[in-house]
Amino acid sequence: MSKKLLKKERNPSILILDFGSQYSELIARRIREADVYSLVVSNFTSIKDIQDINPKGIILSGGPNSVYEDNAPKCDSKIFDLGIPVLGICYGMQLMVKELGGEVTPAIKKAEYGRAPINIDCESDLLSNVLDKSIMWMSHGDSIKKLPEGFVQISHTENTLHAAISNKEKRLFGVQFHPEVIHSVFGMTVIKNFVYSISNCKADWTTETFLEETIPRIKQQVGDKKVLLALSGGVDSSTLAFLLNRAIGKQLTCMFIDQGFMRKGEPEFLMEFFDKKFHIKVEYINARERFINKLNGITDPEEKRKIIGREFIRVFEEESNRLGPFQYLAQGTLYPDVIESAGTNLDPKTGERIAVKIKSHHNVGGLPKDLQFKLVEPLRKLFKDEVRKVGGVLGLPDEIIKRHPFPGPGLAIRILGEVSNEKLNCLRDADWIVRDEIKKSGLYNDIWQAFAVLLPVKTVGVMGDKRTYAWPIVLRCVSSEDGMTADWSRIPYETLERISNRIVNEVEQVNRVVFDITSKPPGTIEWE
Ligand code: XMP
């Protein structure tokens, strides 16, 4: 069989070589905020591959190592002779200095962490329009002792002589500070100087250009074959449904598996919205009984998740056989998932990715061997905020685009201990009040997640003249950038009061509301 060559994907204008920095992804995001397409690649990427990609500029990221450590990560030093502008950030700058014949040593005075005002020493392309004494974010132990030939110092701080360096002729630059971090006041100016004036990139990475390039690619990949999409109602799968509907219309079938752990009104909303309003074919699978029966007597959180995951795969398998056959499975994989997961499975014939797992937390056992789909993953190069923009342009309402994350196992992991229909109904009502009040108070879009948790213990209360014995509800509200770390949200007392009053008055089996004031770490966002 001949290899089906997919239309070539766009090459990144800026390539970021990753030396293990926690900020590599952030650098890529900042550059994309300037409407320039950038990708993160391994520091091992060969010169040949870099030449094939032919980026307009290269950034060497920071990293946790010292350049003199035995196993310090390196890149091919021919990178500095390609004639492509290079910006080294922190470790990236130190590596460049060392490779080009300069010297790096442990900081002369002391390591520098946090905010530091930088002094501009002379005019340069890199620091053009950056205000003297403006604050930049530092995080380093090593410093440059001797610059390589051809370089000049263009900025210093109190503790760091070489806060920024330049070799104008060769278009090689370095900064000791982190321009990508939000606390670096003129950080974005530095990034824009590098991508626009130094690397000559055009601002051509926009939602519109993404759609113009992606829709024909999807059509070409899928041809006349059928595609299945497991719709959850979250931003990613919803945007994907709209995108695929635009690209391949009736060849798309969405499957919505209702495991019974959704929020109040959610299944109805989804069917109404996708199927009725936008005429996107959605197969509604009512699997409530199956799931709740499987959880009978189960109290261990991990076991619950495993059972739900396994059952999801089973239902998915049965239903896709019934509705199919489908040749393709569409997944809302995003760029951070791709950066993190190196070992992907490629179809040896076509080079397309093959699904061995259903994305995210449903992926307990993986898909059975005889149920292997080829993947359609058109959001694979996008960050979450870019997906939201694509969704918006395709016509998704804020109600979906701005919704809080919701875990795959749903309310089942927000009822501690054994799950029952009675508890589910109770939690659904409490959760609805939480969201309603958070929205009314105007806080919804500033909060990462706001939800209710039901504790399987009963506490004493008094209502009217009667003593009550009922469940407490925990209110969990957190702010976060990515769900990896989080802080509890400082909700105004008035909002807390309204939520508490309404839950205790309107939800029958509840007589007490408590507020979780734990950050992550040490707590997790969910309770199970
Ligand atoms: P934790 O509780 O680990 O949650 O702090 C971090 C983020 O992940 C979400 N989460 C899940 N999402 N399936 C999902 O799809 C899951 O099993 C799951 N567990 C946690 C959680 O809501 C938060 O946004």
Side-chain angles (χ1 to χ4, degrees):
M1 199 167 100
S2 73
K3 185 166 166 167
K4 182 172 91 180
L5 276 179
L6 284 183
K7 219 169 164 186
K8 206 167 166 321
E9 275 190 54
R10 170 197 283 243
N11 278 343
S13 302
I14 299 284
L15 206 57
I16 299 155
L17 261 60
D18 180 22
F19 291 92
S21 166
Q22 54 176 329
Y23 297 131
S24 298
E25 213 182 287
L26 191 58
I27 303 172
R29 274 169 59 187
R30 290 282 175 264
I31 294 170
R32 295 213 199 164
E33 279 168 25
D35 296 336
V36 172
Y37 186 43
S38 62
L39 286 182
V40 179
V41 295
S42 148
N43 62 303
F44 293 119
T45 307
S46 70
I47 283 292
K48 164 137 193 344
D49 286 348
I50 294 176
Q51 281 173 317
D52 284 349
I53 295 169
N54 194 21
K56 288 178 173 296
I58 297 173
I59 291 186
L60 311 180
S61 83
N65 299 75
S66 167
V67 283
Y68 286 112
E69 278 170 21
D70 281 347
N71 290 324
K74 290 207 169 93
C75 60
D76 191 325
S77 58
K78 288 197 216 61
I79 212 167
F80 304 111
D81 299 322
L82 292 175
I84 300 174
V86 179
L87 170 64
I89 296 179
C90 198
Y91 179 88
M93 168 171 86
Q94 291 163 5
L95 182 70
M96 177 162 71
V97 164
K98 178 169 173 273
E99 294 292 310
L100 295 176
E103 276 178 52
V104 177
T105 53
I108 299 165
K109 289 187 184 167
K110 57 180 176 201
E112 195 174 22
Y113 297 101
R115 296 171 167 83
I118 59 160
N119 301 285
I120 308 283
D121 299 325
C122 59
E123 255 187 48
S124 66
D125 295 338
L126 188 68
L127 301 184
S128 163
N129 295 322
V130 173
L131 213 61
D132 192 32
K133 308 272 187 297
S134 61
I135 298 290
M136 294 289 187
W137 187 261
M138 291 282 190
S139 172
H140 65 111
D142 290 354
S143 287
I144 293 169
K145 189 171 165 202
K146 181 175 148 257
L147 284 176
E149 223 182 282
F151 278 82
V152 291
Q153 166 196 330
I154 53 176
S155 159
H156 71 277
T157 67
E158 193 187 336
N159 288 316
T160 305
L161 185 58
H162 302 100
I165 60 172
S166 151
N167 180 336
K168 189 175 163 76
E169 195 197 321
K170 292 200 150 174
R171 296 192 296 170
L172 304 177
F173 301 87
V175 285
Q176 187 60 70
F177 52 83
H178 288 273
E180 70 276 18
V181 170
I182 203 95
H183 310 289
S184 291
V185 179
F186 282 84
M188 200 59 193
T189 308
V190 175
I191 286 176
K192 283 184 177 169
N193 285 342
F194 182 70
V195 302
Y196 295 145
S197 0
I198 296 170
S199 305
N200 285 319
C201 294
K202 284 203 217 77
D204 60 0
W205 176 249
T206 61
T207 306
E208 287 70 23
T209 54
F210 169 80
L211 288 173
E212 274 164 28
E213 291 167 19
T214 305
I215 289 173
R217 257 186 75 80
I218 298 173
K219 284 186 181 156
Q220 196 208 354
Q221 184 188 3
V222 169
D224 57 2
K225 303 284 190 301
K226 286 174 70 180
V227 180
L228 177 63
L229 163 65
L231 186 69
S232 72
V235 186
D236 307 340
S237 68
S238 300
T239 301
L240 191 54
F242 266 54
L243 179 59
L244 290 171
N245 185 51
R246 177 79 71 91
I248 55 166
K250 298 283 173 236
Q251 286 161 254
L252 170 71
T253 300
C254 297
M255 178 153 79
F256 169 56
I257 299 176
D258 182 358
Q259 15 74 318
F261 310 137
M262 305 293 285
R263 284 165 292 197
K264 189 170 172 167
E266 186 73 5
E268 296 79 3
F269 167 77
L270 286 181
M271 293 309 291
E272 184 65 37
F273 181 78
F274 284 94
D275 207 276
K276 299 239 168 62
K277 188 160 175 206
F278 284 95
H279 308 292
I280 296 175
K281 190 165 50 166
V282 183
E283 294 287 340
Y284 173 77
I285 315 292
N286 184 346
R288 294 178 186 190
E289 286 270 323
R290 285 179 70 149
F291 277 85
I292 192 93
N293 289 342
K294 283 274 182 271
L295 289 187
N296 200 357
I298 306 296
T299 54
D300 179 72
E302 273 314 298
E303 211 180 329
K304 263 193 209 174
R305 276 173 196 269
K306 278 198 190 124
I307 290 172
I308 294 170
R310 270 203 303 266
E311 198 57 19
F312 185 90
I313 301 279
R314 264 187 217 130
V315 176
F316 183 85
E317 188 182 4
E318 286 170 25
E319 295 297 330
S320 57
N321 280 334
R322 181 175 69 84
L323 299 165
F326 295 96
Q327 289 77 27
Y328 284 93
L329 176 70
Q331 287 209 137
T333 312
L334 303 193
Y335 192 44
D337 307 325
V338 180
I339 305 184
E340 278 153 19
S341 65
T344 49
N345 290 273
L346 298 184
D347 183 321
K349 288 194 194 118
T350 64
E352 292 163 284
R353 291 206 326 139
I354 302 171
V356 285
K357 287 178 172 183
I358 291 188
K359 195 199 164 194
S360 108
H361 305 263
H362 290 307
N363 61 11
V364 235
L367 288 178
K369 284 253 169 335
D370 55 349
L371 196 74
Q372 288 210 342
F373 300 93
K374 289 176 182 173
L375 286 180
V376 188
E377 298 176 297
L379 308 178
R380 193 170 98 253
K381 295 284 170 70
L382 300 190
F383 288 110
K384 191 91 178 181
D385 43 342
E386 294 174 315
V387 174
R388 291 202 169 96
K389 283 192 201 151
V390 170
V393 168
L394 290 172
L396 280 171
D398 277 3
E399 164 93 35
I400 289 185
I401 292 173
K402 296 194 174 158
R403 54 182 29 193
H404 291 169
F406 186 67
L411 300 182
I413 57 162
R414 293 180 180 169
I415 291 171
L416 272 57
E418 190 176 359
V419 180
S420 67
N421 278 324
E422 192 191 7
K423 287 180 184 153
L424 277 167
N425 288 334
C426 172
L427 183 60
R428 253 186 218 117
D429 287 344
D431 177 74
W432 194 85
I433 293 169
V434 172
R435 279 184 300 136
D436 189 42
E437 286 300 332
I438 293 287
K439 280 181 188 163
K440 281 182 185 154
S441 64
L443 296 169
Y444 189 83
N445 291 337
D446 301 330
I447 288 178
W448 173 261
Q449 269 170 300
F451 58 90
V453 175
L454 187 144
L455 301 186
V457 288
K458 292 202 170 177
T459 76
V460 175
V462 56
M463 278 175 131
D465 286 337
K466 271 205 292 198
R467 279 166 81 78
T468 57
Y469 194 49
W471 292 312
I473 284 287
V474 177
L475 174 62
R476 180 75 165 140
C477 300
V478 295
S479 56
S480 173
E481 282 281 316
D482 52 11
M484 303 298 286
T485 59
D487 197 6
W488 59 280
S489 307
R490 273 54 171 180
I491 307 288
Y493 282 162
E494 298 72 32
T495 311
L496 290 177
E497 185 182 359
R498 271 197 306 279
I499 291 174
S500 166
N501 278 345
R502 281 193 59 192
I503 291 180
V504 172
N505 286 326
E506 295 173 32
V507 186
E508 226 171 70
Q509 307 92 319
V510 176
N511 63 355
R512 193 179 292 273
V513 174
V514 297
F515 186 37
D516 182 352
I517 51 166
T518 322
S519 62
K520 172 184 179 176
T524 47
I525 297 176
E526 305 289 346
W527 270 51
E528 276 201 338

